[in-house]
Each structure stands twice: as structure tokens, then as C-alpha cells.
Amino acid sequence: MPHDRHAAYHADRARGEAVRAISAATPDAAAIHQELCLRYSGRVIAALILGAVGKGME
């Protein structure tokens, strides 16, 4: 994943899932959205560590 050109997409999805987790009507829904947020966040963190975010790598 050193050339993750989808990092901005993953960041947007992580943000959206965090909002959904916070505003979820049930604990089960909140847990699902939190897990998705963590997965997308992990992709973003990996891209940051590998230096792919913000460099326009295609």
C-alpha cells in the first residue's frame, strides 16, 4: 500500500462512519459503524506512514 491513491476516499469514509457511529440509534449499529471507521482509519494511517497521502501518487 505504499502508493494508496485512494487515501482521501478512505479518510472521507472514516469521517462519515464516525458520524454514523456517534448518531446511531442502537448499540449494534454504533458498533458496526465504529468498526468500519477503524478499518478506513487504518488505511489512512498506513498511507500516512508510507508517505502516500498528499503526494498525488497515481
Side-chain angles (χ1 to χ4, degrees):
M1 197 164 99
H3 302 292
D4 188 355
R5 63 180 182 252
H6 305 291
Y9 167 78
H10 293 132
D12 288 340
R13 287 298 307 262
R15 189 178 307 110
E17 292 300 336
V19 170
R20 288 180 188 92
I22 292 166
S23 62
T26 66
D28 289 339
I32 290 168
H33 290 297
Q34 182 178 7
E35 178 65 27
L36 288 169
C37 175
L38 291 171
R39 288 175 184 251
Y40 286 120
S41 296
R43 294 290 301 262
V44 174
I45 292 167
L48 285 169
I49 290 170
L50 297 172
V53 173
K55 292 186 179 178
M57 294 183 177
E58 309 256 343

